[in-house]
Amino acid sequence: EGNTGSEKMHADKPLQTVLCLATIVAALTAVSAVNAEIVTLTVANFQEAMEKKHLVLVLFVKPEAECKECPNVLAEFTAAAQRIAELNPPPLTAVHDPTSDNTFATKHGVYTYPTIKLFRNSIELMRPFRAPLTEEGIANYAAILHENPSIEVKTMAEAEDILPTHNGDPNSIVFMGFYKLVDRDLTNFQFICE
């Protein structure tokens, strides 16, 4: 078979092509019992915890005397952590109580409780947590974020395999960027995909 028009147009220039994929992920299925570790974050261990995992979900809670809803959401978050631990690789689930030191909460714009913040590669995701604060809502949202939001493709054939129906969902949205080298524009594109 011959080259497509796109292949001819770019045959003389090596390109790095990255697809930004936005797709809806089906709900997590029931999983066997897993001992999920929920890390208690402090200002002192924050950076170390962030470096351990690619994706980190942090629940900001206060004691029940200051936040009536916090104990219930903490129970839902704990149950969700069991399901989240089944993802491969598993994200880190963590809890932070800013009662003694609110530096970390203030730095990340947390002023109401309970709040969940998301971090990928130690960087806070710009998108707010928009799911019900229930076991199912938290676990499903973690599964969606767990997907890699960008994929490098090297040939038009690879792109054509992905484009028609990413993950079998004909309503998926795919953004494509062409880059000569790994550069700041590519980094910015991947950040936007996040």
Side-chain angles (χ1 to χ4, degrees):
E1 292 187 16
N3 289 340
T4 66
S6 295
E7 288 173 323
K8 286 179 187 174
M9 183 173 75
H10 300 294
D12 60 328
K13 298 179 187 175
L15 294 176
Q16 180 170 10
T17 305
V18 178
L19 299 178
C20 179
L21 308 170
T23 180
I24 297 174
V25 177
L28 290 173
T29 57
V31 296
S32 58
V34 172
N35 249 347
E37 177 186 10
I38 297 179
V39 174
T40 300
L41 282 186
T42 64
V43 174
N45 72 356
F46 167 74
Q47 193 58 43
E48 179 186 342
M50 290 293 139
E51 291 170 359
K52 282 184 178 182
K53 298 285 184 170
H54 173 67
L55 181 65
V56 180
L57 283 77
V58 180
L59 173 64
F60 290 82
V61 292
K62 284 196 169 186
E64 187 173 10
E66 297 177 49
C67 172
K68 298 290 183 209
E69 189 182 355
C70 285
N72 294 334
V73 173
L74 180 57
E76 296 287 338
F77 188 78
T78 301
Q82 299 299 319
R83 294 173 61 185
I84 292 167
E86 286 290 317
L87 297 171
N88 187 14
L92 177 69
T93 49
V95 174
H96 178 67
D97 176 354
T99 305
S100 62
D101 185 348
N102 71 352
T103 306
F104 178 59
T106 302
K107 177 181 177 182
H108 294 287
V110 177
Y111 301 103
T112 59
Y113 299 89
T115 295
I116 295 178
K117 289 283 186 171
L118 310 156
F119 298 83
R120 189 184 302 274
N121 298 323
S122 301
I123 298 170
E124 180 182 350
L125 295 183
M126 294 174 62
R127 82 176 86 169
F129 183 85
R130 291 194 177 138
L133 293 176
T134 62
E135 174 186 348
E136 184 175 345
I138 296 165
N140 288 345
Y141 201 74
I144 290 169
L145 292 174
H146 189 264
E147 280 195 6
N148 189 354
S150 63
I151 298 172
E152 179 181 347
V153 295
K154 296 182 179 180
T155 67
M156 285 303 294
E158 288 178 359
E160 288 168 356
D161 286 344
I162 294 171
L163 289 175
T165 55
H166 171 65
N167 284 348
D169 180 359
N171 297 316
S172 288
I173 300 170
V174 179
F175 298 93
M176 186 180 291
F178 296 89
Y179 299 93
K180 291 180 183 178
L181 301 168
V182 175
D183 62 7
R184 198 174 101 207
D185 289 337
L186 173 59
T187 303
N188 289 340
F189 181 78
Q190 290 172 323
F191 182 74
I192 290 167
C193 288
E194 295 284 337

